[in-house]
Amino acid sequence: MKETHSITVMEKLLPWEDFSYKKDLLRKYADHIGRCDTEFFSLVNKIFIDEGEKGEIVDEMILKTKQLEVWNTNLLLDVNYKISQVVNRFDDQVDEMKQQRITITYENIFAI
């Protein structure tokens, strides 16, 4: 009489790898964007404020630029906060992909 049995296990095929170094790399790029923003807003201030430009259009451009500066600053703060979360999630996803579900099916043959 034959009996069929199966066993399923999760097998880790590759070792865990640390991707935390990517946080520094991503923060470096975010910092570079922040420096570019700072340079841009300094240039705008130099052109419109330091040179004493006046008028409704100039006032509106200065207001919109200040709003954009605040928005960009908040966005970069949020990006820097989320970098850790994203890299940690990436670590977990990669680790899951390094595991494989294995099912072994065998027949137990015994004589009567």
Side-chain angles (χ1 to χ4, degrees):
M1 180 173 243
K2 293 181 185 180
E3 283 185 12
T4 303
H5 299 279
S6 293
I7 184 170
T8 301
V9 295
M10 289 296 287
E11 186 65 31
K12 187 169 277 292
L13 302 175
L14 295 170
W16 181 79
E17 188 177 345
D18 184 15
F19 291 100
S20 61
Y21 69 92
K22 292 192 179 284
K23 293 176 188 178
D24 295 333
L25 183 63
L26 292 170
R27 284 191 182 110
K28 184 178 102 176
Y29 290 129
D31 290 344
H32 178 71
I33 292 169
R35 285 191 302 277
C36 289
D37 278 355
T38 300
E39 288 176 23
F40 172 74
F41 295 122
S42 293
L43 182 61
V44 169
N45 285 336
K46 182 180 176 197
I47 291 171
F48 291 113
I49 296 173
D50 294 347
E51 293 183 9
E53 297 293 330
K54 303 243 187 272
E56 288 180 35
I57 293 174
V58 171
D59 292 343
E60 189 64 26
M61 288 176 70
I62 291 170
L63 176 66
K64 293 294 182 187
T65 303
K66 291 290 183 194
Q67 290 171 346
L68 181 63
E69 185 175 12
V70 169
W71 188 79
N72 284 0
T73 300
N74 289 336
L75 185 61
L76 281 172
L77 288 172
D78 189 48
V79 164
N80 276 314
Y81 172 74
K82 289 187 178 181
I83 283 173
S84 288
Q85 294 174 335
V86 168
V87 171
N88 290 341
R89 235 182 357 251
F90 179 75
D91 268 345
D92 294 340
Q93 289 173 347
V94 169
D95 198 43
E96 281 181 26
M97 291 171 32
K98 292 180 178 181
Q99 297 180 44
Q100 178 69 45
R101 183 180 307 276
I102 299 173
T103 301
I104 301 169
T105 304
Y106 62 94
E107 289 182 356
N108 187 5
I109 304 173
F110 55 92
I112 299 181

